[in-house]
Amino acid sequence: MSSSDHSLRVLVRKLESIGPLSAEERQAVESLPVKTRVLEPGHDIVNDGDQPSHSCLVLSGWVCRYKMLSLGRRQVLSFHVAGDIPDLQSLHLPLMDYSLAPLTRSAVAFIAHESLRELTATFPGLAAVLTRDLLIDAAAYRAWLTGLGRRSAYERLAHLFCELYLRQQAVGLAEAHRCPLPITQMDLGDALGLSNVHVNRVLKEMRGSGLVTLRAGTLVIEKWPELAQAAEFDPSYLHLRSGHAV
Amino acid sequence: MSSSDHSLRVLVRKLESIGPLSAEERQAVESLPVKTRVLEPGHDIVNDGDQPSHSCLVLSGWVCRYKMLSLGRRQVLSFHVAGDIPDLQSLHLPLMDYSLAPLTRSAVAFIAHESLRELTATFPGLAAVLTRDLLIDAAAYRAWLTGLGRRSAYERLAHLFCELYLRQQAVGLAEAHRCPLPITQMDLGDALGLSNVHVNRVLKEMRGSGLVTLRAGTLVIEKWPELAQAAEFDPSYLHLRSGHAV
DNA sequence: CGCATGGTTGAGGCTCATCAACGCCCGTGG
DNA sequence: CCACGGGCGTTGATGAGCCTCAACCATGCG
């Protein structure tokens, strides 16, 4: 079931934000066989403990990785937008150690591991880009870890906003000074190790200081320099190819 | 400058804890050219922002990854023991986004990226094992992230102890119910997002409840089941080949 | 012996969690 | 068309968990 509507272009765009692709490589990516689905929040894509035979490319909407603890405690590990393949690592590490779920209505394309193996065997350049993508992922974990361990609630939110803006900009999903952020304050809290109540209070404070406004699923960054400074944000961990002027 | 004393056996042992190696692969790893050094705490191995041309294999002692923030805030991202190559990712991601430092007097072997590239080009099986190692690293980040975000101080310490015990057991560094842990309470705090004072208090509490004792650089696990339960510890994220009975 | 490093303990305070109530928006069904 | 309900955002009150500061102790080393 090939994609007739070029939905795989979001993947090409993402990979090109990481490293250059040849025309052949672009072509090979775009003709990957996929199964497309539209998913609603509340229905997980893959679960902790699974051994999936496909990986999941996000085509639209927002998806997150998360882990659960007792007493309903949830930790969101990352957010994903169009172009991301959050469970790419299951190609090399069969057993899932986290779950994957849509946070909004999302379209995803399932790509068989077999297809990916064939692709990377044929195009070592693509294999290298995908490896880089996995390692950039790890760099993002390091940044989040630093935030959870040593940043205040205010700094954590500021840092997350910087990251999400730049990542979306890199794949053409952001406008000047604004980008989509259609997730609940609960989800933000679960990502930042905070309660939804406290997220709300910090957002109010940020709004008051005129740095950032989050409303109706849109993030508006009014003062990028101040925001980046408050977050001690250094974009190098995203390892983006392009500059990121705002 | 080859290793005359087979110091690379620690690497073989580590890689075999991840996946099987053929005799040729073992031989190839053991004959990697390396430069060995002994390093003292306080002198970083690699720094945030560097673009190293070598990766660093730990031969003995304890090494950590860390990131710094303003006001002296430090976040330790991982601990490493003999057999680990903490900055292996610099082979694919040239720019370091964290620093690497010894926590005790440590012996390390520097392996040129060029040598590693040659090795993985010749032995795809080794390339696969190294990739798996990088991804297991990411799994550990996820476990730590969950701890920092959603676990109490007590649970975080318990979880860390479980991880460090099993990882050392996997490469033959642990005895029954005990293993080395020669790092300061300050370092533990910087890893767990806690102050050294609070680490001290929680350790006292654990000692009191008879679960775990940490003294003179040795961790003694008196009640593994209770400890693992308190931590909600699930070892699957370590993706070890062997079972891990205690 | 004196000093440095790291471990231990107490007092007080701040950040953030929890609980609870209320308002808004929007979809749904009578 | 309106009543109802659920999800989400907002606000207040209270308290737990952990931090900071500061002092003191134990150990090891020159």
Side-chain angles (χ1 to χ4, degrees):
Chain A
M1 195 180 305
S2 269
S3 65
S4 53
D5 56 345
H6 301 286
S7 60
L8 280 161
R9 285 213 176 127
V10 297
L11 179 54
V12 170
R13 195 171 50 176
K14 165 65 181 275
L15 295 180
E16 289 187 321
S17 80
I18 297 173
L21 267 57
S22 71
E24 279 177 329
E25 288 168 338
R26 264 197 303 277
Q27 180 53 39
V29 169
E30 289 196 9
S31 51
L32 272 170
V34 300
K35 284 184 202 159
T36 300
R37 297 281 180 275
V38 173
L39 304 170
E40 302 290 335
H43 299 83
D44 287 1
I45 304 172
V46 195
N47 269 105
D48 199 340
D50 285 357
Q51 300 198 200
S53 57
H54 298 248
S55 284
C56 157
L57 164 68
V58 180
L59 299 175
S60 69
W62 283 63
V63 166
C64 78
R65 300 190 184 119
Y66 74 93
K67 279 171 100 96
M68 293 301 301
L69 293 178
S70 63
L71 307 172
R73 292 178 292 182
R74 180 176 72 143
Q75 178 64 42
V76 168
L77 303 163
S78 56
F79 293 114
H80 297 281
V81 297
D84 291 345
I85 308 182
D87 60 344
L88 179 58
Q89 95 291 335
S90 65
L91 185 60
H92 301 103
L93 224 44
L95 185 68
M96 292 290 291
D97 59 75
Y98 62 89
S99 301
L100 203 58
L103 295 174
T104 68
R105 169 183 297 229
S106 300
V108 305
F110 290 98
I111 312 175
H113 286 168
E114 212 169 327
S115 307
L116 285 170
R117 268 187 256 277
E118 203 173 305
L119 186 76
T120 52
T122 315
F123 299 95
L126 279 177
V129 170
L130 289 173
T131 298
R132 264 177 71 87
D133 185 41
L134 287 169
L135 293 175
I136 291 170
D137 227 58
Y141 286 141
R142 288 191 283 271
W144 282 41
L145 216 36
T146 306
L148 285 187
R150 291 305 184 203
R151 273 189 247 261
S152 69
Y154 192 99
E155 296 170 317
R156 280 180 230 178
L157 266 163
H159 199 275
L160 180 61
F161 291 160
C162 290
E163 170 179 326
L164 293 179
Y165 178 77
L166 284 194
R167 279 177 50 200
Q168 292 192 82
Q169 190 190 246
V171 293
L173 290 171
E175 301 168 41
H177 304 272
R178 70 177 56 214
C179 64
L181 186 50
I183 67 181
T184 67
Q185 296 180 358
M186 186 79 144
D187 294 331
L188 284 174
D190 283 348
L192 300 174
L194 302 169
S195 69
N196 56 343
V197 175
H198 200 62
V199 167
N200 185 284
R201 295 197 161 113
V202 174
L203 285 176
K204 182 181 177 183
E205 189 187 348
M206 290 181 149
R207 212 181 315 148
S209 64
L211 286 194
V212 165
T213 314
L214 175 56
R215 202 159 26 97
T218 305
L219 179 72
V220 182
I221 300 183
E222 266 122 27
K223 301 180 182 172
W224 174 267
E226 286 83 350
L227 185 70
Q229 187 177 9
E232 296 187 37
F233 183 76
D234 174 354
S236 56
Y237 77 93
L238 295 171
H239 297 273
L240 298 171
R241 278 210 302 158
S242 55
H244 25 255
V246 177
Chain B
M1 199 179 311
S2 267
S3 65
S4 54
D5 56 346
H6 301 287
S7 60
L8 281 160
R9 284 210 178 129
V10 296
L11 179 55
V12 169
R13 193 172 52 176
K14 165 65 180 275
L15 295 180
E16 289 188 321
S17 81
I18 296 172
L21 265 57
S22 72
E24 279 178 331
E25 288 168 338
R26 266 198 302 277
Q27 179 54 39
V29 168
E30 289 198 8
S31 52
L32 271 171
V34 300
K35 283 185 204 159
T36 300
R37 296 281 180 276
V38 173
L39 303 171
E40 301 291 336
H43 299 84
D44 286 3
I45 304 173
V46 196
N47 268 107
D48 199 339
D50 286 355
Q51 301 197 199
S53 57
H54 297 249
S55 283
C56 156
L57 165 66
V58 181
L59 299 177
S60 70
W62 283 63
V63 165
C64 79
R65 299 189 183 119
Y66 73 94
K67 279 171 98 95
M68 294 300 302
L69 293 178
S70 64
L71 306 173
R73 291 178 293 182
R74 179 177 74 142
Q75 178 64 42
V76 168
L77 303 163
S78 55
F79 293 114
H80 297 282
V81 297
D84 291 346
I85 309 182
D87 60 343
L88 179 58
Q89 96 291 335
S90 65
L91 186 61
H92 302 102
L93 269 190
L95 187 67
M96 292 291 291
D97 59 77
Y98 62 89
S99 301
L100 204 57
L103 295 174
T104 69
R105 169 183 296 229
S106 299
V108 306
F110 290 99
I111 312 175
H113 286 168
E114 212 168 326
S115 307
L116 285 169
R117 267 187 258 277
E118 202 174 304
L119 186 76
T120 53
T122 315
F123 299 95
L126 279 178
V129 170
L130 289 173
T131 298
R132 263 176 72 89
D133 185 41
L134 288 169
L135 293 174
I136 291 171
D137 227 58
Y141 286 142
R142 289 191 283 272
W144 282 40
L145 217 35
T146 306
L148 285 187
R150 290 304 183 203
R151 275 189 245 259
S152 69
Y154 191 100
E155 295 169 317
R156 281 180 229 176
L157 266 163
H159 199 275
L160 180 61
F161 291 158
C162 290
E163 171 180 325
L164 293 180
Y165 178 76
L166 284 194
R167 279 178 49 201
Q168 292 193 81
Q169 190 189 246
V171 292
L173 291 171
E175 303 168 40
H177 304 274
R178 70 177 56 214
C179 64
L181 187 49
I183 67 183
T184 67
Q185 295 179 359
M186 185 79 144
D187 294 332
L188 284 174
D190 283 349
L192 299 175
L194 301 169
S195 68
N196 56 343
V197 175
H198 200 61
V199 167
N200 185 284
R201 294 198 163 112
V202 175
L203 285 177
K204 180 181 178 182
E205 189 187 347
M206 290 183 150
R207 210 180 316 145
S209 65
L211 286 194
V212 165
T213 313
L214 174 57
R215 200 157 28 96
T218 306
L219 180 72
V220 181
I221 300 183
E222 266 121 28
K223 301 181 183 171
W224 174 267
E226 287 82 350
L227 185 69
Q229 187 177 11
E232 295 187 37
F233 183 76
D234 174 354
S236 56
Y237 77 94
L238 295 172
H239 297 273
L240 297 171
R241 277 211 301 159
S242 54
H244 22 257
V246 175

